[in-house]
Amino acid sequence: MQSLSLNRSLREYRRLASDWTLLLGLVVVVVFLAVAIVWPLLKILGVGFSADALALYRKYFSSPVYLRIMWNTVELGLVVGAVGTLLGFLFAYVQVRLDVPLKKFMNLMALLPIISPPFAVATAAIVLFGRGGLITYQLFGIRNNLYGFRGLVLVLSLSLFTVAYLNLKGMMEALDPALDEAATNLGANKWAVFRTVTLPMLIPGIAGSFLLLFVEAIADLANPLVLGGDFTVLASRVYIAISGEYDTLAGAVLSLILLVPSLTVYLVQRYWVSRKSFISVTGKPSGRHQSIRNPLVRWGLFAVVMLISLLILMLYGTVVVGAFTKLFGINFDFTLANFEFVIMGLGSQAMGDTSAMSAISTPIAGLLGMVIAWLVVRKSFAGRAVLDFVAMLGIAVPGTVLGIGYLLAFNAPLKIGNNVLLPALAGGTALAGGWIAIILAYVVRSVPAGLRAGVASLQQIDPAIEEASISLGADSSVTFRKITLPLIRPAFFTGLVYSFARAMTSLSAVIFLATPEAKIMTAQILNEVDAGRFGNAFAYCVILIGLVLAVIGLLYVVVGTSNGVERDLGRAR
Amino acid sequence: MSEQTETGALRLENVTKIFGQGSSQVRAVDDVSLTIQSGEFVTLLGPSGCGKTTTLRLIAGFEFPTSGRLLLDEKDIANVPPNLRPMAMVFQSYALFPHLNVFENVAYGLRLRKMPEAEIKEAVNIVLHMMNLVGLERRNPNQLSGGQQQRVALARAMVMKPKLLLFDEPLSNLDAKLRTQMRMEIRRLQQRMGITSVYVTHDQMEAMSLSDRVVVMNRGKIEQVGTPEEIYQRPATMFVADFIGRANFVETDVLALDGRLAIVDVYGQKVQLACSPEIRVGQKAYAMIRPEAINLSSRTSNYMAEVKTAVYLGNSVEYEVEIEQNLLKVVDYDPTPGMMFREGSFVSMTFDPERSYLLPK
Amino acid sequence: MRGYVKVFVFLVVIMATVLSGCKTQPTEQAKPAVGGKLTVLCTPQEDWCVALTQKFQADTGIETNYVRLSSGESVARLRAGKDNPEFDVWFGGPADGYMVAKNEGLLEPYVSPNAAVIPDALKDKDGYWTGIYVGALGFCSNKKVLDSLGLPVPTSWQDLLDPKYKGQIAMAHPATSGTAFTAFWTVVTLNNYDIDAAFTYYKSLHNNILQYTKTGSAPGPMAGRGEIATAIIFSHDCVKYQEEGMTDLVISFPKEGTGYEIGGVGIVKGAKNPDAAKLWIDYVLTAKTQELAATVKSFQLPTNPDAKVPEKSVKLADVKLVDYNFTKSAEAKKGITERFDAEIAPAPKE
């Protein structure tokens, strides 16, 4: 039996091989994943399980200080997961089920974090709500300590809840209104319908959002660095270990400790919770949801969500105003000095480098995502699920962990004997000034979004359409180019937009990879924030947001559709 | 487009297709052998899950057989990728390319062959004309009716002049009237072009009306291959008898055998029935009696049955009658106006042995 | 329909534009002197790094690039890139770091002809590093916050242990920041080189610390914005923030004595562009270059006696300095930062 199935998969591969373009695609994908994900992770595992490392585990797991850090990390993940999911739920519920004004505005505010660079919210929160904050102190005289757990929860929840929002919004829209009607028809009032029908149906979505937020929260590096106070988490410890001591051993060990909960939770989310879903998002619901009429519920929810929307607007407004202000909170004189400093001075190279590296990585990531989605959905070969899983690791593995993996894997040339198999890709002396490693990291981080959007999109397209093309004489690659890609264009567009935004705003995965030749905007922003030059940081953020918006706009013009981008983004995680 | 196209003969030899592994294995196609002559129209007929679609996809190359050989004009094509097989398929969902207009849909395969633009234009126009699609060239598929879409799908396959045309339940998404109309059209085209065709359907009417030969499949195996008359009048198995049209089965003893005629006892009366070659004297067997072969009358006779249900359908009346604890289906295709039997009434029953058949138990 | 093809074309065009935009500029006004490139590891405040590298490039025609890293990070990066260094020259940051780098063989000695005028106390006797500026450590406090807490301006290390300061002090992390290490070693010196005693002090101080920043100067703006009462930073950085508009800031010094830094410059061992690196050192030791610092509001004291001392600078004569032993501090540095990182920084507050 064993040999029979082995035989069969061998034959499957031989058949794949007979379509050489398909084989080429598969080989490119496999080589990419092997180099850009598997190899760095193996490197971390290698270092993280070396003899020296075991002593470190003993040390960490017996030290109350480190146990505290681990608990902090988990606690942060749990609370941000809960708060962010609640926020996402409220926004989605108002959007789908309430008939209230300004829904477009609230939707926009919920989507804003996608294109926001790290630090924007944290920094704005400090100047607005910190101890010397414009609102807390100068308006109300409260010395509010934002540093630490509370501040992190606030900032992380506001930055991450978009995931939950898109997830739950998609689900709520797909809920069949007939179910509500049936329940009402059987005598349930609105509250009972919500409690007994709506909520139970959404539980997989809620659980999934919670778990995704957990993973993102514990992986976040930017906010704990700026706002951590005495609340230390694993990600920032990893960062200090590398940047302060260049202690790759400690970095790898802490990374592995961080990797365990994130990967576990991610797997639970992906392979368990998502299977429990009652709702097929693909189905078009019939009928229309009746909106909630109870004025208390309606306007109460509206007020809450509107307030949070205004808070988000205020935070980003502060970023913009702060960029044109001498010293936000102290001296509000208008100035262009921040922009001058950033654009003419230290920022010009970072802007150029980051935009160029993002621009290079975007089409690669977009295309890879679509090709992998296509292979996974349409082609049958052993190892399909593995391919999908490995590609998704790009998002499941925390950025800092990936960054350390890259450091370990690519800082020195890969040699067998005296032959250089792969030259150094990361670091100042690497090939192409370290650009390759950063671009790889950008691609790895962006592929999952395009992949999920592509998979969702492909599953809605009748496979017969592609078979028709094949039956008319087209091989796999022609079919992919002429039929599949045009049909999944919205997903492809989503993948591109997301890739570019993600690359431009990513920090944790690439912060260790920046070199004199490859400067990264977000790392520069970190420097400015850390050094307290908020004006410059704000100017940077404004430029970054502007660049991302401009490219999205251009992509829109060129690819020409934004249909379903939101929906696809929701699925993208 | 020339009227006579080069067309192919297809042979399946012991083809088996197994899906899944280990305990979840499914034998979708089980040791199927079949020969299709050049120019022949053959239908694979059976209930859903019988393996007919898988067989078609094996022929098309979208699936590869686990074992067995597939020969097109005596050349083994089992490992030829689908795009290189000289076949064209018409899909159940039509599978028109939604982003291409009608002309481009039809021209798609020709463009892949790098045919000169002028020739493409000519070939496409001929086919569009043939399919009554002139004037719709610039429409997108979503602007067409179901029937039009179906004709575009057909045109797209025909224009390729394939050696083999494959149809995967192409009419199942159409409404009843259109279905009948398209059925005729397909038959007319196939006869005219003479392209060897394999057609998959679960609709016996379609199978009967279109085919030179019908292949009835069940659980991955072929139950019977034959002309429409053969499979209706001389079904090889009870499954075929039941699947093709409707049938009553009456258990009986085989009293005597004379070649392919048997004497059997049906409800106490000895009758002579044509029989399957497996019938042996002294065995139990089933007399298959078609509902339309049964005649009811108000006279009194030895065969009295009670009318259990009576349904008036306009051109016919359907009854269920009970005789010796057996329920029999009866159709009267020529009901006398006002002379319908009431439920609960007793009627005399006769049947036509000529239109019945004896099957082994 | 062929939109996606256009996307690639478009992205390639953008890419090309961006690439050409940022790569071709600098080569234009090349002057032949030394030529080539120079990569500077720059530790002072970023605006100084920008001003200096731009000026150097304009004056010499050498394409000059920099990465700003704090002192501790700099040593870590140099160590990591030992076999194949990515930097040519290291500029700025306390001499302790340079001593560590020297001891680990990460620096190349070079005695610049321009170093002759620099006092011996402000340069390495073996020429591994040369002092470019001097500055004293101080307390940088927000007067308003102090007032609201009912605290006087702190004038001793002990003042900072007052429980009223809870969560009101910030300093950098000694592992990344030379400033913070200077602060630590100052306390060590005040305790007659008893490192354990210094740890005891910082353990108590930990209860009052809001956050350990990455960069040494970072606590300054926190105080300036009123987020904390007192920042332990170099006094010249505090002057800088005052000058930039944070008018609530006041500078004070501990009466027990305070530490100071000699900002160094040195050539990285195995530098790819040694000639340009030497030229850089010659350049930054001149009086004219050192006077550039004040234009970007960096008020360290220049080491070149011919350089004009900015009016705003804190004069060392006005401050009681400890006898800061850079050799000893360098030897103890790694042990201290690791211990600090393990025992103090992540510990919960009492």
Side-chain angles (χ1 to χ4, degrees), chain B residues 223 235-244 247 249 286 359-361:
Chain B
E223 294 269 339
T237 61
M238 283 176 63
F239 173 83
V240 175
D242 199 32
F243 192 78
I244 310 294
F249 298 102
Y286 280 115
L359 287 167
K361 190 170 177 185

Side-chain angles (χ1 to χ4, degrees), chain A residues 1 4-5 8 11 15 18-19 462 464-465 467-475 478-479 482-483 486-487, chain B residues 18 20-21 25 57 62 64-66 79 82-83 87-89 91 93 95 97-99 108-109 112 156 160:
Chain A
M1 201 72 253
L4 187 77
S5 66
R8 205 189 305 172
R11 246 191 306 152
R15 223 163 262 132
S18 68
D19 197 339
D462 185 356
I465 292 178
E467 287 175 356
S469 163
I470 289 169
S471 139
L472 292 168
D475 63 14
V478 172
T479 302
K482 294 198 149 189
I483 306 296
L487 291 182
Chain B
I18 300 173
Q21 314 228 319
Q25 270 195 4
R57 294 173 61 82
F62 296 131
F64 293 93
T66 311
N79 280 309
N83 52 311
M87 310 175 178
M89 183 145 162
F91 293 84
S93 56
F97 307 128
H99 58 302
Y108 183 85
L112 289 173
R156 190 176 64 180
M160 301 299 291

Side-chain angles (χ1 to χ4, degrees), chain B residues 267-278:
Chain B
Y267 298 130
Q269 197 188 40
K270 290 188 180 60
V271 286
Q272 196 178 42
L273 295 181
C275 70
S276 131
E278 287 145 69

Side-chain angles (χ1 to χ4, degrees), chain C residues 211-293:
Chain C
Q211 170 146 314
Y212 296 100
T213 60
K214 186 169 77 89
T215 305
S217 57
M222 290 171 75
R225 284 190 302 266
E227 289 167 50
I228 52 167
T230 299
I232 304 173
I233 61 173
F234 281 116
S235 53
H236 48 255
D237 285 327
C238 196
V239 177
K240 179 178 166 73
Y241 296 125
Q242 285 174 329
E243 287 301 304
E244 286 175 355
M246 295 178 169
T247 45
D248 293 337
L249 292 177
V250 290
I251 303 169
S252 59
F253 294 93
K255 58 177 186 282
E256 299 96 323
T258 195
Y260 61 96
E261 67 165 329
I262 303 169
V265 64
I267 295 178
V268 175
K269 189 162 193 174
K272 302 264 191 313
N273 304 291
D275 293 338
K278 284 175 185 159
L279 195 64
W280 171 272
I281 293 187
D282 298 347
Y283 186 82
V284 299
L285 292 177
T286 61
K288 198 166 149 257
T289 310
Q290 296 201 348
E291 282 166 10
L292 191 69

